[in-house]
Amino acid sequence: MVSKVMKTILLGLGNPILRDDGVGWQVVQAIEEHFGKNLPPEIEIDCFPLGGISLMERLIGYDRAILVDAIQTKQSPPGTISRLTLDDLPSIHANAIHDAALKDALEFGRKLGAELPQEIVIYAIEAVDLWEFDEKLSPQLETSVMPAARAVLAEIDNWRNS
Amino acid sequence: MQRLSIDPITRLEGHGKIEIFLNEDGNVANTYFQIPELRGFERFCVGRPVEEMPLLTNRICGVCPEAHHMAAAKAADAVYHVDPPRPAKLLRELLYSGFYFTDHTTHFYALGGPDFVMGPDAPVAERNILGVIHKVGLEIGGKVIQARKYGHTIVEYIGGRKVHPCTSIPGGLTKGITEEQRQEIEKMGHWAIEFAQFTLNLFNEIVLGNKAYVDLILGDIYTHRTYSIGLVDENNKVNFYDGNVSVVSPDGERIGKYAPSEYTDWIAEHVEPWTYLKFPYLKKVGWKGFVDGKDSGVYFATPLSRLNAADGMATPRAQEEYEKFYSVLGGKPVHQRLAIHWARLIELLYAAERIVELATDPEITSDNFHKIPTETPTEGVGIVEAPRGTLTHHYKTDERGVVTMANLIVGTTNNYAPISMSINKAATSLIKGGTVVTEPMLNMVEMAFRAYDPCFGCATHSLPGQMPLEVTIRDADGNLVEVLKQYC
């Protein structure tokens, strides 16, 4: 019996010209550049600048999703990589663009019958500066890009082997 | 002195913070609305070719990239002294109308609408889009998604991408649309008109049909008599993409109109020690502090101010709604800030009608969508109406077209002074000596600025580490009396 191919999306979130907010983009770009050829075809890689309802709409049609984004808890050293699920985020207001929080937006989409990922994992990297226009990351985050990329790849391997 | 702090504000882009200081009698002594400043944008732009600006500036913000794309493109046209051919202007405006349709729809159903649909007293957890569809029906949720899809499709057909359009360049666009795409857009436009009318009817039923809401809108708490500004066409009708900025006094008298290149003659910026952000005001009137009236240069730039600053709407159905609006609210201009929500829906209908008008213009599929610039680039200003207010981009370049100066006045910045005033007035009206500060009361304070749809977001996609609403109350000696938290 052939098992169903799980369609997976890997999204780098954030604003690529706002210093550390661009870390999600840089991680997925690094994955594409260094490991893209070896990734299975059911995995789509993209960068996305929006949250909320727009992000929910982007996730339609996939079984699984990995999001890579900046986070600012001010409780971990800069560059710390955390693996989170939606339950780790506050239920409202979090990740809001000008509409709804991601968790609410997903619930909204599901109520409307949208096919949304059953499994969403978020790799978050502790940021230093999210308020200065620059395409470069803070030095403390630059060294986190490849480790975060490898963590994401390990997650994908894990999924494929499970 | 007691101190109340709402930090950061629920459902507000970015991390704004309101602080309310109470005196020893428990009345409001002062309020401060603080916004973190995004730094270094001018430095970031200097040294880049001006034709990159429409691509670069639309990355400033994830909420209205199309507005920055258009203002930057118009400023770049001006820098190169090139007037794009008519089909290019039509296409840009069509893209922009599709964007407006999406943005205003999303605002009403997800951000501003919940205050009315659910009511200001509803628990915070219900004042969101899930609460709205629970109350008005799942079918409407589907329509909201459909409306967004249509708007995004129009943006994609003309702008090349669903998010962050990339086709506007000095002198016009890099591409046009096919007849097939035109037909599809026309169909979407007709659907959009029906949807906008449906939304206005919903607003009529839920808000205007409820005396308590009408009283709230018309009440003094949310009223400010300031100047209104907005872009108008040659007939003084509201226009989002092109024209001159009309300035109307609190009495409804038009004191003038300015072309984009004249903006520095009209707008100046006031500095306060407690915030990095500056407060724009009307230079010809002068800064007199955070006060209402004809002698105060404070102005606002929102859907309501756009209606106030114009003589009407350029499309028939929106014009009917415009007349009804002023008839119900007692004539022009309207100063009740909660009426911004209603004005936004009239603009929603206008955007929908404009989609059909533009899609049926015989020149919309013309391949004459670009004029090659031939003059030496120097300096230029571009102005469009962003959903959240008048958006001005100003660039200077060297003779190669490389940017040497960039200045932006974004939609929300225009409204910094009036938002601060509205927060102060709502807090002063609602929080009196001896009253217990409750969540619905704080939401009523928040409603004062939510009507403006303020947006300070750029870093907003990063995940916040903790929950945004915390109210701290301190006694006159600074001792902590009580902390109210939600989702902390």
Side-chain angles (χ1 to χ4, degrees), chain B residues 61-70 92-107 147-148 150-156 158 162 164-165 240 306 348 351-352 355 384-388 391:
Chain B
C61 172
V63 177
C64 50
E66 292 85 353
H68 285 291
H69 184 68
M70 287 301 163
R92 282 184 184 173
E93 192 180 346
L94 180 53
L95 182 160
Y96 207 47
S97 301
F99 156 64
Y100 250 82
F101 181 69
T102 302
D103 196 277
H104 275 7
T105 295
T106 308
H107 183 278
R148 288 173 53 83
Y150 281 168
H152 290 152
T153 303
I154 295 170
V155 170
E156 187 178 19
I158 303 166
K162 274 197 178 85
H164 294 155
F240 301 143
R306 288 194 280 261
L348 177 73
I355 289 169
V384 296
E385 283 297 329
R388 290 148 196 87
L391 173 63

Side-chain angles (χ1 to χ4, degrees), chain A residues 15 18 21 25 49-50 53-54 57 69-72 93 95 97-98 111-112 129-133 135, chain B residues 10 13 38-39 43 48 59-60 62 111 128 138 142 148 164 388 453-454 458-459 461-463 467 487:
Chain A
N15 184 338
L18 207 56
D21 201 33
W25 285 49
L50 310 178
I53 294 175
S54 299
E57 289 167 337
D69 199 358
I71 194 167
Q72 199 160 41
H93 311 308
N95 211 23
I97 61 158
H98 228 60
K111 276 182 192 291
L112 297 173
D129 181 359
L130 299 165
W131 299 100
E132 177 116 20
F133 285 100
E135 285 162 303
Chain B
T10 51
E13 194 81 7
L38 295 167
R39 301 177 304 267
R43 183 176 48 75
R48 296 173 189 266
R59 297 249 178 236
I60 292 175
L111 199 73
N128 56 35
L138 209 53
R148 288 173 53 83
H164 294 155
R388 290 148 196 87
D453 191 14
C458 296
H461 320 298
S462 56
L463 306 166
M467 190 31 244
Y487 304 102

Side-chain angles (χ1 to χ4, degrees), chain B residues 456-474:
Chain B
F456 314 102
C458 296
T460 49
H461 320 298
S462 56
L463 306 166
Q466 61 182 24
M467 190 31 244
L469 189 63
E470 181 172 311
V471 182
T472 308
I473 304 173
R474 292 180 190 276

